Amino acid sequence: MSQPFSPLNRRHFLRRAGLATGSIAALASSAGLVSAVQPAQAQLVPLDVDLLNFALNLEYLEAEFYVRGLTGQGLEAQGIDVTGQGTLGSVIVKANSRVQFRVPWVREFLAEITADEVQHVRFIRETIKSLGGTPIARPELDLLNSFNAIAQLAGIGSSFDPFENEVNFILAAENFETVGVTAYRGAAPLLTNKTVISGSAGILAVEAYHSAILRLLEVEFGFYPQKVTEISDRLAALRTALTADPAVVDQGVLVNDQPNLVPTNANALAFARTPRQVLNIDYGAINASKGGFFPKGVNGIVP
């Protein structure tokens, strides 16, 4: 994973990717999209709050991963409250986790995604409070040993350091975003409160934007070295195996040597995962109660 790769020219990348100015502008407003859905006072719906708190576990994980890779510090340094119901945990991560980006514009892309994920944590906490619920505390997170275990399960080596370089960081980030898209889609039929449904739809859209950008970067970096797309495929296969559902088959970023940037089912819909299936991936084992990214389990009630 530490093999050198050729820096890409931004203009060349945008020309090949076909990213229009309007698309970039839409992504740039993603944080505003979510924050614009203002929580409204409403009757407390226990299942909706449970689902929001379950999602908050995942958003804590994503946000901590991103801010530590971009800044070397955690959510508290961003002014985000991580206290609440359940046991407040620490974050297990390598010293000096700040990624040394070799391509400046790639860092710009990741910085925007990082800002979105931090805002998701803030937004979900505020929404839970507006519904009369109590946000969960950040559970203990492992951003070190978990990746080594994933590398072994996926057959990509004995260890994997997502903070070693921008390519590794992109691979790890896409894994989180892809799971996030399927988690929000899986929760959609269970929601009843309009405020929660609207906010959840906004977050799902942003997670999908993120995933598509990261998958596009994987295809581009897949040639520097070629191994990148192979690792992405192995991670997709691992997610499929841990989901243990024939209806949910994660797809790699290349199919028959052609880009596959949008993984969908036969109806061109995003796949859906239940909370249990999401935990299978995050715990690194089917029907486990803890492990992987959450060494002591998640906080709150699992819907």
Side-chain angles (χ1 to χ4, degrees), residues 164-183:
E164 181 180 353
N165 55 55
E166 59 219 305
V167 173
N168 284 16
F169 194 68
I170 289 167
L171 282 163
E174 191 263 312
N175 186 72
F176 286 135
E177 299 289 352
T178 296
V179 173
V181 170
T182 61

Side-chain angles (χ1 to χ4, degrees), residues 189-247:
L190 305 176
L191 298 172
T192 58
N193 180 279
K194 290 184 178 180
T195 295
V196 178
I197 293 172
S198 178
S200 179
I203 295 178
L204 189 157
V206 174
E207 300 283 336
Y209 283 141
H210 293 173
S211 178
I213 287 174
L214 294 166
R215 290 172 71 87
L216 181 57
L217 288 173
E218 286 177 349
V219 171
E220 286 293 315
F221 281 119
F223 303 99
Y224 311 101
Q226 184 71 29
K227 188 178 180 183
V228 174
T229 52
E230 296 173 7
I231 291 176
S232 177
D233 287 348
R234 287 181 179 270
L235 291 174
L238 176 61
R239 292 193 299 269
T240 296
L242 290 173
T243 301
D245 182 348

Side-chain angles (χ1 to χ4, degrees), residues 266-277:
N267 294 317
L269 302 177
F271 291 103
R273 283 189 173 93
T274 66
R276 178 65 260 174
Q277 291 169 337

